[in-house]
Amino acid sequence: MASSTKLPLIFIFACSLFLKGALAEVVCEKLLAETQCAFGISSSGKRCVLENYKNEESGDLEYTCKTSEVEVERLSAYIETDNCVDSCGVDRRFVGISSDAFLVPEFTKSLCSPACYHNCPNIVDLYFNLAAGEGVYLPALCQKQKSSPKRAMFELLSSSGGATADDTVVDGVAPSPAPSSY
């Protein structure tokens, strides 16, 4: 009887060790700068950012990963997949992220594609917030980009503040205050 109670306890202990290793803490400063940093989120829920600096000894430009002050509401301890990076048309090697990317039609097309928009909530959330900072509602911009890419760019560049919130539907999904498919 004693051996039959020990087996489940050993199993539970082994599982807890496995889960502890699988649920490792994400610290931006410990991530590989070129392959993990950009579009990563620390365990504390703050975005990771890629920064560059000049190596004093070699004079080469090198990269490091830092924790930003930007908090993500619904996601933590997350490193974006390579599939999402490719689908959304972003690059992990970019230093700093800017809303200027919306001025490149290919980027907006990739970001608004179903493969990105519906499957990569971390990247979409980041650019949703960047667009909002420019007075642009991302779901409306995506809808206009889909139907008339040149018009979307014109409205984005115009003084009217670009696409705004309305009853726009992107690929059958009604707009929400922010992407929330976590």
Side-chain angles (χ1 to χ4, degrees):
M1 187 75 163
S3 65
S4 66
T5 58
K6 286 183 183 178
L7 187 57
L9 290 175
I10 292 171
F11 179 73
I12 291 171
F13 178 73
C15 286
S16 69
L17 289 176
F18 173 75
L19 286 175
K20 185 177 179 184
L23 300 174
E25 184 177 25
V26 174
V27 176
C28 297
E29 287 74 10
K30 292 183 179 180
L31 295 177
L32 298 174
E34 290 83 7
T35 60
Q36 296 177 320
C37 182
F39 312 108
I41 302 170
S42 71
S43 294
S44 66
K46 294 190 176 186
R47 289 201 179 276
C48 301
V49 293
L50 187 64
E51 294 183 356
N52 58 12
Y53 65 95
K54 188 173 184 178
N55 183 314
E56 296 296 326
E57 292 178 19
S58 68
D60 293 336
L61 190 62
E62 295 188 9
Y63 298 90
T64 187
C65 191
K66 299 284 185 180
T67 304
S68 76
E69 292 303 313
V70 177
E71 291 188 32
V72 179
E73 290 181 25
R74 295 174 288 252
L75 198 57
S76 64
Y78 183 80
I79 299 171
E80 191 58 77
T81 66
D82 290 337
N83 189 39
C84 277
V85 168
D86 293 340
S87 295
C88 297
V90 296
D91 189 337
R92 291 191 198 271
R93 296 169 295 180
F94 285 155
V95 176
I97 297 174
S98 167
S99 60
D100 289 351
F102 291 114
L103 300 175
V104 179
E106 294 81 17
F107 169 76
T108 305
K109 182 177 180 181
S110 294
L111 182 66
C112 295
S113 71
C116 176
Y117 195 86
H118 299 301
N119 298 313
C120 306
N122 175 37
I123 292 174
V124 173
D125 179 66
L126 172 64
Y127 282 97
F128 181 97
N129 292 324
L130 281 173
E134 298 294 327
V136 175
Y137 186 60
L138 185 61
L141 177 65
C142 287
Q143 183 62 34
K144 287 181 181 170
Q145 192 283 329
K146 184 178 174 184
S147 62
S148 178
K150 290 181 181 180
R151 181 176 175 204
M153 288 301 115
F154 175 75
E155 289 185 11
L156 186 63
L157 292 170
S158 75
S159 61
S160 67
T164 57
D166 57 14
D167 293 329
T168 305
V169 174
V170 177
D171 290 326
V173 177
S176 61
S180 60
S181 57
Y182 297 104

